[in-house]
Amino acid sequence: MTSESRITVDGLIKRFGDFVALDGISFAVGAGEIMGFLGPNGAGKSTLIRILCGLLRPSGGQASVAGIDVASDPEGVRRRIGYMSQKFSLYGDLSVVENLRFFGGIYGVPRSALDGQVAFVVEMAGLQGREDSLVATLAGGWKQRLALGAAILHRPSVLFLDEPTSGVDPQSRRRFWDLIHRLGADGVSVLVSTHYMDEAEYCNRIALINRGRLITLGTPHEIKARSVAGELLAVEAEDVGRAIAALREAPGVRNVAVFGRLLHVVVDDAAARASELKARLNALGMAGVRTERILPTMEDSFVHLVGRAGRSPEGAA
Amino acid sequence: MRLRRIKAIAVKEGLQIVRDPRSLMIALLLPLMQMFMFGYGVSLDVQRIPLCVLDNEASQQSRDLIGRFAASRYFSLVRALGGQRDIAPRLDDGTCRIVLVIPSDFSRSLNDTGAGRLQALLDGTDSNTANIAANYAKAVVSAFSISLQLETVQRKGGVPQSLTPVDVEARVWFNEELESRNFIVPGIVALVMAIVGAQLTSLTIAREWERGTMELLISTPVQPMELMIGKLLPYFCVGLADAAICLALAVFWFDVPFRGTVATLFFTTSLFLLVVLSIGYIVSVSIRSQVGASQIALLLTMLPTTLLSGFAFPIDQMPALVQGVTFLVSARYYILILKAVFLKGSGLTALALPILCLALYALVLVVLAARAFRKTLD
Ligand SMILES: Nc1ncnc2c1ncn2[C@@H]1O[C@H](COP(=O)(O)OP(=O)(O)OP(=O)(O)O)[C@@H](O)[C@H]1O
Ligand SMILES: [Mg+2]
């Protein structure tokens, strides 16, 4: 781990009773880096972020944020971070400005700077003209930008965002990610969790986690290249269950996964196998089978990696 | 500890109180309603207590005494009993609540010692009424005996020197009009303040957990002490308004004589408010649901205040162990103080001991409240 790391996590473990929510996670985040945490429900994303914010005590391993150990000095950590929790947690019965002034006061933003900071955040979040609206009356995208604003009011060097864009329309999500990139450009280290696979592509690096384990870590490009060993075919067939069974037994097929109405099939050679597989399904009496060569997405990587990790835990990156 | 943070929290909490006019209305109307509810519920039925007499002497003086009971508006003479064995059935079937037994040597002992011996038998099932009835009876008797002594002295042409102090007199000394209301209304003020005070703060932390705002709040550098002070401040103001309502009702509606100073009243009321607000806060910290916190706070304040503060049941008649427990009930001190300030006009020096107890109580609870809160999700 370099001395420039803003977040250092080493063998972090969190247990809730007998349940292991985080199972030996290690990674580091540098200054100005945007690190995405990608994983399904219950993977442990929120638990990890809460430990790094000093809200939960780690059961084992070490973690430091802005050079401070989260277990021994959680207060020191809290002064230096911004946090946006998964559940919206500003005060709905207070106005936009009242919320911002409240958090400004709590974080001890100097009085001389507070007005300027509030104005900056209002502008950044695109909330001009809504300064005095009660927060409960704002639409989802605006609430989330305001929550981000409240988290950076005191100019923290590390920012934790827990599924900041869930339940928000795609346009607002893009706008939100623009803000995150601006912060990264200013040198703020951002750790953001999401379960939107497409959002992962906006991060500098991604950590895939599942059931408390870090499955892989790298740039979006690296992960896709690394994880899907082979080429990818999208197959459309009527009887999905039977089609899966048949495809798994076909020569050259390495993995089959369901993506909505399609099957994503990893093969050694897409061009050669496409017609073979189609013929195989047709032979089983399935009509209207179509195949198409596609490029792997983050979701393919994820499915692939989770499948592999499930079979051999040590095999995870 | 930073003032800036305390102020930020107090302002936020104050805004939330103002933004929720329904809850604010309840916070101000609840004490009003409870004052009326308890004020009438408790004090009305102790007028015209049904009384039977068994006059074993049938002398002029015994008839005078019975006449006084009949004339008093606290008793209504239902019937004269023929003998000892009529007593129990009359009490059992509810014909009367109290039986006055005048012994055959009543006049003689009265003239010898200045105080006659009487027996009053009471239906103890409603101990509150029984107790009040007993006190009334003693007061009527003592008024009777004092006027008798005055008469004797005047007949002898002398100046009244010292009148034999009658034991029962002390019990009604500060309540000459013999109004049970004067005794009870200060207790009701304490009861209402205890209930309302703890209710006010019982929601404040639980609400933040329920709405999910607590997770963000504890991720900030705010300290438990700052959070507590900031949160209690605005509710303290609401509590003082509630106190003003209760105390004004006591004086202007229930006509309880007020002989003390407003300053003493509000100083001691502030101490008591600190206690009950802290109780509500501690409950709110421990129980993360609003409904649960509100109910526990109600139980924790209403039960001890009604049962163990001396409000409904006289402390000196409780078993020794229970008497010991009453020292842990803050309302005990506040009721004592209120009665003294209202009826005796006592000041800070006269009340130094109970005020000290209350202040100590407030201090301990405020410290407990500040320490109860943990900034963690574990
Ligand atoms: N306080 C707790 N006590 C017991 N189990 C918990 C606690 N908090 C979380 N868990 C469990 O730990 C696991 C990880 O939860 P976590 O909230 O970190 O997942 P997540 O990745 O954030 O999921 P989501 O996408 O649903 O937010 C889940 O199985 C959850 O039930
Ligand atoms: Mg989560």
Side-chain angles (χ1 to χ4, degrees):
Chain A
M1 314 271 155
T2 63
S3 58
E4 283 176 67
S5 295
R6 286 269 180 76
I7 305 173
T8 319
V9 175
D10 190 12
L12 195 64
I13 293 171
K14 179 66 188 179
R15 288 186 210 96
F16 296 110
D18 289 337
F19 179 76
V20 181
L22 292 179
D23 193 2
I25 297 225
S26 306
F27 65 94
V29 182
E33 189 177 14
I34 298 167
M35 165 82 110
F37 265 77
L38 192 59
N41 289 348
K45 307 181 293 292
S46 298
T47 303
L48 174 74
I49 290 180
R50 284 168 169 164
I51 290 177
L52 295 179
C53 292
L55 300 179
L56 289 174
R57 284 187 66 81
S59 317
Q62 283 196 320
S64 70
V65 171
I68 297 170
D69 189 83
V70 294
S72 58
D73 185 13
E75 279 305 316
V77 169
R78 289 186 187 118
R79 277 195 293 277
R80 290 166 175 83
I81 60 160
Y83 173 45
M84 199 177 147
S85 57
Q86 181 166 356
K87 187 167 181 244
F88 180 74
S89 47
L90 299 186
Y91 297 96
D93 45 359
L94 261 54
S95 74
V96 167
V97 167
E98 284 162 354
N99 265 290
L100 292 176
R101 293 194 145 272
F102 171 68
F103 285 101
I106 292 286
Y107 277 108
V109 175
R111 275 176 216 282
S112 52
L114 187 57
D115 284 339
Q117 278 294 89
V118 168
F120 163 76
V121 165
V122 165
E123 196 250 47
M124 179 204 82
L127 283 164
Q128 300 100 319
R130 306 297 299 267
E131 286 94 337
D132 296 322
S133 308
L134 292 189
V135 163
T137 65
L138 297 179
W142 291 11
K143 275 188 189 164
Q144 254 132 342
R145 288 198 297 276
L146 178 64
L148 177 66
I152 59 163
L153 204 59
H154 56 297
R155 299 186 169 280
S157 61
V158 184
L159 195 55
F160 294 98
L161 309 175
D162 195 358
E163 299 199 26
T165 55
S166 63
V168 171
D169 62 276
Q171 201 183 333
S172 295
R173 274 167 59 192
R174 263 199 303 284
R175 193 164 167 185
F176 195 91
W177 275 95
D178 287 343
L179 293 176
I180 295 179
H181 280 279
R182 266 167 66 184
L183 290 165
D186 286 345
V188 178
S189 302
V190 184
L191 197 160
V192 52
S193 77
T194 179
H195 59 236
Y196 292 118
M197 302 287 171
D198 58 326
E199 284 192 341
E201 318 252 0
Y202 302 140
C203 301
N204 299 136
R205 281 196 302 152
I206 309 166
L208 293 188
I209 63 170
N210 188 40
R211 296 169 184 236
R213 284 168 172 272
L214 191 68
I215 293 168
T216 192
L217 183 71
T219 66
H221 185 77
E222 281 170 5
I223 287 183
K224 280 184 284 188
R226 192 192 302 157
S227 58
V228 181
E231 291 172 340
L232 204 57
L233 279 173
V235 177
E236 188 178 344
E238 279 164 358
D239 189 343
V240 174
R242 272 177 63 218
I244 291 174
L247 291 172
R248 283 213 168 119
E249 279 157 19
V253 170
R254 293 174 182 163
N255 193 25
V256 182
V258 184
F259 279 72
R261 289 173 43 251
L262 294 176
L263 295 175
H264 284 195
V265 185
V266 182
V267 292
D268 49 0
D269 181 349
R273 300 293 180 193
S275 49
E276 271 180 45
L277 294 181
K278 190 171 177 179
R280 206 179 169 91
L281 293 179
N282 284 337
L284 287 170
M286 291 185 210
V289 175
R290 287 190 299 165
T291 59
E292 188 190 348
R293 163 114 201 247
I294 54 170
L295 289 174
T297 63
M298 194 53 70
E299 204 160 354
D300 291 302
S301 305
F302 192 81
V303 168
H304 200 75
L305 288 165
V306 167
R308 202 160 72 193
R311 283 197 297 274
S312 61
E314 335 51 77
Chain B
M1 200 163 81
R2 288 173 56 168
L3 276 179
R4 181 86 191 283
R5 289 203 201 113
I6 295 177
K7 192 184 148 203
I9 290 166
V11 167
K12 179 222 105 182
E13 206 70 27
L15 282 171
Q16 290 187 305
I17 294 174
V18 178
R19 293 278 154 78
D20 185 4
R22 221 173 53 109
S23 301
L24 187 59
M25 280 287 277
I26 292 174
L28 295 175
L29 286 181
L30 194 69
L32 202 79
M33 279 164 38
Q34 288 181 339
M35 280 298 289
F36 283 119
M37 203 171 81
F38 294 128
Y40 283 108
V42 175
S43 59
L44 274 190
D45 61 344
V46 277
Q47 305 224 348
R48 320 208 72 77
I49 302 160
L51 167 84
C52 289
V53 278
L54 174 59
D55 187 354
N56 286 325
E57 189 182 61
S59 66
Q60 181 58 44
Q61 275 172 333
S62 72
R63 274 194 292 272
D64 277 355
L65 179 65
I66 293 167
R68 278 183 178 260
F69 270 91
S72 131
R73 64 189 166 98
Y74 307 105
F75 296 99
S76 69
L77 183 55
V78 182
R79 125 169 22 158
L81 301 180
Q84 198 75 22
R85 52 174 204 286
D86 286 343
I87 295 176
R90 293 292 82 78
L91 282 174
D92 282 347
D93 67 14
T95 310
C96 61
R97 283 282 218 1
I98 176 169
V99 177
L100 188 70
V101 182
I102 301 176
S104 49
D105 62 350
F106 176 63
S107 312
R108 203 178 60 228
S109 69
L110 193 63
N111 295 331
D112 290 351
T113 63
R117 288 178 53 80
L118 282 167
Q119 199 184 11
L121 298 162
L122 294 126
D123 172 7
T125 46
D126 177 357
S127 64
N128 187 33
T129 307
N131 205 24
I132 292 167
N135 277 334
Y136 285 164
K138 285 176 184 168
V140 171
V141 172
S142 87
F144 171 74
S145 93
I146 287 174
S147 70
L148 210 67
Q149 289 178 56
L150 278 173
E151 258 172 49
T152 320
V153 172
Q154 275 160 1
R155 252 206 316 274
K156 289 179 181 160
V159 182
Q161 305 224 315
S162 72
L163 301 175
T164 329
V166 184
D167 163 53
V168 290
E169 195 186 5
R171 293 172 172 275
V172 289
W173 189 260
F174 300 110
N175 187 15
E176 308 92 313
E177 300 121 66
L178 261 183
E179 292 238 49
S180 80
R181 204 177 254 184
N182 291 357
F183 271 139
I184 283 171
V185 170
I188 293 171
V189 171
L191 177 63
V192 172
M193 289 307 301
I195 294 174
V196 173
Q199 285 299 304
L200 284 177
T201 43
S202 69
L203 304 181
T204 181
I205 296 287
R207 192 194 300 126
E208 301 233 21
W209 283 117
E210 270 185 14
R211 294 190 184 166
T213 51
M214 188 52 90
E215 174 152 357
L216 187 54
L217 195 55
I218 60 177
S219 80
T220 72
V222 71
Q223 294 305 299
M225 181 66 109
E226 297 160 347
L227 186 68
M228 185 208 64
I229 299 175
K231 284 210 168 244
L232 290 198
L233 267 178
Y235 290 109
F236 187 76
C237 298
V238 179
L240 277 184
D242 284 333
I245 291 173
C246 292
L247 295 168
L249 279 180
V251 176
F252 297 112
W253 186 269
F254 290 106
D255 289 325
V256 179
F258 182 67
R259 305 197 170 104
T261 66
V262 176
T264 317
L265 196 61
F266 274 88
F267 173 68
T268 51
T269 299
S270 299
L271 288 180
F272 186 63
L273 255 182
L274 273 184
V275 171
V276 292
L277 291 178
S278 302
I279 292 177
Y281 184 85
I282 292 170
V283 170
S284 197
V285 168
S286 329
I287 296 166
R288 292 182 181 184
S289 95
Q290 293 191 70
V291 177
S294 150
Q295 284 177 355
I296 300 283
L298 184 66
L299 280 181
L300 275 184
T301 47
M302 195 162 93
L303 285 186
T305 308
T306 39
L307 301 179
L308 296 173
S309 68
F311 160 60
F313 310 105
I315 291 172
D316 54 18
Q317 288 171 26
M318 295 173 182
L321 184 72
V322 181
Q323 284 196 26
V325 175
T326 63
F327 286 103
L328 296 174
V329 179
S330 59
R332 175 191 174 141
Y333 307 106
Y334 184 51
I335 290 178
L336 189 88
I337 291 169
L338 275 185
K339 279 184 186 167
V341 174
F342 266 92
L343 304 177
K344 285 195 265 186
S346 305
L348 294 181
T349 36
L351 293 171
L353 190 63
I355 287 179
L356 203 70
C357 291
L358 202 54
L360 205 69
Y361 209 110
L363 186 75
V364 169
L365 275 178
V366 165
V367 170
L368 284 181
R371 300 181 61 150
F373 187 71
R374 294 256 173 276
K375 283 178 72 182
T376 171
L377 296 171
D378 274 304

